[in-house]
């Protein structure tokens, strides 16, 4: 049964929490630099707690039935019991903040169940889309993968720097920086197959992983890195939002694969071309992922 929130509490969550959250999470990168170490640590801790509350709000007020409210709240109890991480510098805090905010944004979009338009249906996979005022067009792929959630997670996050070995749409991918086990900054060059159509594109993204019970969330969004400024000969494209949700299917070795994606490729490109390329790219990526997972399964059984 879905957890109900009293109307008075719901109204308070809708008004006071967003305002408080924006106040503290709006701390700028430069403002962090001006803080002393103790104040900066305290501000970061308070900001992190407010983000947790904000994420809870999405679930308590939302109707997205693919997640369990009970599991979600239990996950926060486990999170609160974890030991304090090492002290992070201002850049690391900034990247973590970006990753967590990308997750919140994605969950908010996924909670909007209405007005999705079908783009592609193929072999059980489907891609739908909708246009959002501040984000533009977002695409959502739904599929089922014949592999465990842990195996899929390993390929998409733990071994992300090897993605170009099996995914033709990625020519090169490098991990520029790792912040703990849950956040990293990557540099990616779009593969030649896509480049023949839309030109040479590269990306700098912050990637953030989060596990809630048996589910995994992999989010990404565009960022900046001093070690990888815009490169000559490339158009620096931007990932507006990317969020992959891995949910194990009961009593099977299969994973429900949900992928929310919105990318700004920059340059003078027809929207019709971009939209067609985006939805097809998601389907192609999923098929290449299936082939990679099947190869791993065969290797493990030998």
């Amino acid at each position: 049964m879905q957890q109900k929130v009293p109307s008075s509490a719901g109204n308070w969550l809708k008004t006071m929490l967003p305002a408080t959250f924006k106040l503290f999470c709006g701390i700028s990168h430069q403002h962090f630099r001006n803080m002393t170490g103790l104040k900066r640590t305290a501000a970061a801790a308070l900001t992190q707690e407010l983000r947790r509350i904000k994420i809870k709000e999405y679930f308590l007020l939302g109707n997205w039935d693919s997640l369990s409210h009970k599991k979600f709240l239990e996950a926060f109890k486990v999170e609160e019991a974890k030991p304090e991480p090492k002290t992070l510098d201002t850049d690391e805090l900034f990247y973590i903040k970006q990753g967590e905010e990308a997750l919140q944004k994605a969950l908010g979009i996924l909670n909007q169940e209405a007005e999705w338009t079908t783009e592609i249906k193929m072999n059980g996979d489907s891609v739908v889309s909708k246009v959002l005022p501040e984000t533009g067009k977002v695409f959502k792929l739904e599929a089922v993968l014949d592999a465990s959630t842990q195996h899929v997670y390993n390929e998409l996050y733990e071994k992300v720097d090897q993605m170009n070995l099996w995914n033709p749409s990625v020519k090169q991918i490098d991990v520029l920086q790792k912040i703990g086990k849950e956040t990293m900054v990557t540099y990616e060059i779009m593969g030649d197959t896509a480049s023949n159509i839309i030109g040479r594109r590269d990306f700098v993204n912050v990637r953030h992983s989060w596990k809630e019970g048996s589910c995994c969330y992999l989010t990404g969004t565009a960022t900046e890195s001093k070690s990888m400024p815009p490169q000559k000969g490339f158009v620096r494209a931007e990932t507006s939002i990317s969020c992959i949700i891995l949910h194990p299917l009961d009593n099977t070795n299969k994973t429900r694969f949900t992928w929310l994606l919105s990318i700004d490729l920059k340059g003078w490109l027809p929207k019709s071309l971009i939209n067609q390329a985006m939805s097809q790219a998601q389907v192609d990526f999923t098929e290449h992922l299936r082939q990679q997972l099947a190869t791993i399964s065969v290797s493990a059984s030998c």
Side-chain angles (χ1 to χ4, degrees):
M1 181 179 295
Q2 184 176 346
Q3 185 172 350
K4 299 295 184 180
V5 179
S7 58
S8 58
N11 291 335
W12 183 84
L13 283 171
K14 290 180 179 179
T15 55
M16 295 303 296
L17 271 182
T20 306
F21 180 77
K22 290 178 181 178
L23 173 64
F24 285 94
C25 291
I27 296 174
S28 68
H29 193 184
Q30 185 59 41
H31 185 56
F32 264 126
R33 291 187 183 279
N34 295 335
M35 285 185 173
T36 63
L38 182 59
K39 290 182 179 179
R40 191 167 58 220
T41 302
L46 180 57
T47 300
Q48 185 178 23
E49 183 60 27
L50 286 169
R51 287 194 200 106
R52 290 173 179 165
I53 295 173
K54 183 65 176 177
I55 294 176
K56 287 181 182 180
E57 178 193 354
Y58 278 124
F59 289 87
L60 292 175
L61 300 179
N63 298 311
W64 194 32
D65 57 7
S66 63
L67 295 174
S68 165
H69 291 162
K70 182 178 179 181
K71 287 184 178 180
F72 181 80
L73 295 176
E74 288 175 351
F76 271 97
K77 292 179 182 178
V78 174
E79 180 70 21
E80 290 165 0
K82 290 182 179 179
E84 289 296 322
K86 71 178 183 66
T87 302
L88 302 175
D89 64 31
T90 55
D91 288 329
E92 291 173 326
L93 288 170
F94 181 69
Y95 288 136
I96 291 173
K97 175 176 179 287
Q98 275 194 304
E100 291 179 344
E101 288 180 343
L103 173 61
Q104 296 161 27
K105 179 179 179 181
L107 294 179
I109 295 173
L110 289 167
N111 201 37
Q112 302 174 22
E113 298 180 353
E115 300 178 357
W116 290 93
T117 301
T118 300
E119 296 280 343
I120 295 178
K121 282 190 175 183
M122 184 181 300
N123 300 326
D125 300 348
S126 66
V127 179
V128 297
S129 68
K130 70 188 308 181
V131 177
L132 299 176
E134 297 181 359
T135 307
K137 194 162 188 176
V138 295
F139 298 82
K140 181 176 68 171
L141 177 139
E142 295 276 4
V144 173
L145 302 176
D146 192 13
S148 69
T149 298
Q150 186 61 47
H151 284 163
V152 183
Y153 171 82
N154 289 342
E155 289 299 317
L156 297 181
Y157 192 80
E158 295 294 341
K159 299 192 291 183
V160 67
D161 57 343
Q162 301 177 33
M163 187 179 293
N164 60 304
L165 299 179
W166 55 266
N167 181 12
S169 66
V170 178
K171 184 175 183 178
Q172 176 183 331
I173 180 166
D174 300 314
V175 177
L176 303 179
Q177 185 176 356
K178 283 189 175 182
I179 304 101
K181 295 182 178 180
E182 298 179 342
T183 308
M184 68 175 73
V185 180
T186 60
Y187 173 68
E188 303 143 51
I189 297 177
M190 188 176 287
D192 292 335
T193 301
S195 303
N196 292 335
I197 302 175
I198 60 176
R200 303 178 73 190
R201 260 53 177 186
D202 64 357
F203 301 79
V204 174
N205 289 322
V206 58
R207 295 170 179 261
H208 183 70
S209 72
W210 179 53
K211 292 186 177 181
E212 180 264 307
S214 57
C215 297
C216 297
Y217 304 80
L218 307 175
T219 60
T221 190
T223 192
E224 296 181 358
S225 173
K226 296 176 183 177
S227 64
M228 191 57 67
Q231 302 294 295
K232 184 177 180 180
F234 289 90
V235 175
R236 180 60 53 87
E238 293 184 355
T239 303
S240 301
I241 188 68
S242 175
C243 182
I244 291 175
I245 301 174
L246 308 175
H247 188 282
L249 297 179
D250 294 338
N251 302 319
T252 67
N253 197 38
K254 297 183 178 182
T255 300
R256 183 193 304 157
F257 180 77
T258 303
W259 183 15
L260 186 74
L261 181 65
S262 178
I263 292 179
D264 184 356
L265 291 174
K266 303 296 184 179
W268 300 95
L269 295 172
K271 287 187 176 181
S272 58
L273 175 62
I274 295 175
N275 293 339
Q276 181 181 0
M278 289 288 292
S279 54
Q280 187 61 49
Q282 284 187 292
V283 172
D284 292 344
F285 174 89
T286 306
E287 186 56 33
H288 291 305
L289 177 58
R290 281 196 177 98
Q291 294 173 10
Q292 173 65 7
L293 293 168
T295 300
I296 295 173
S297 178
V298 170
S299 300
S301 62
C302 293

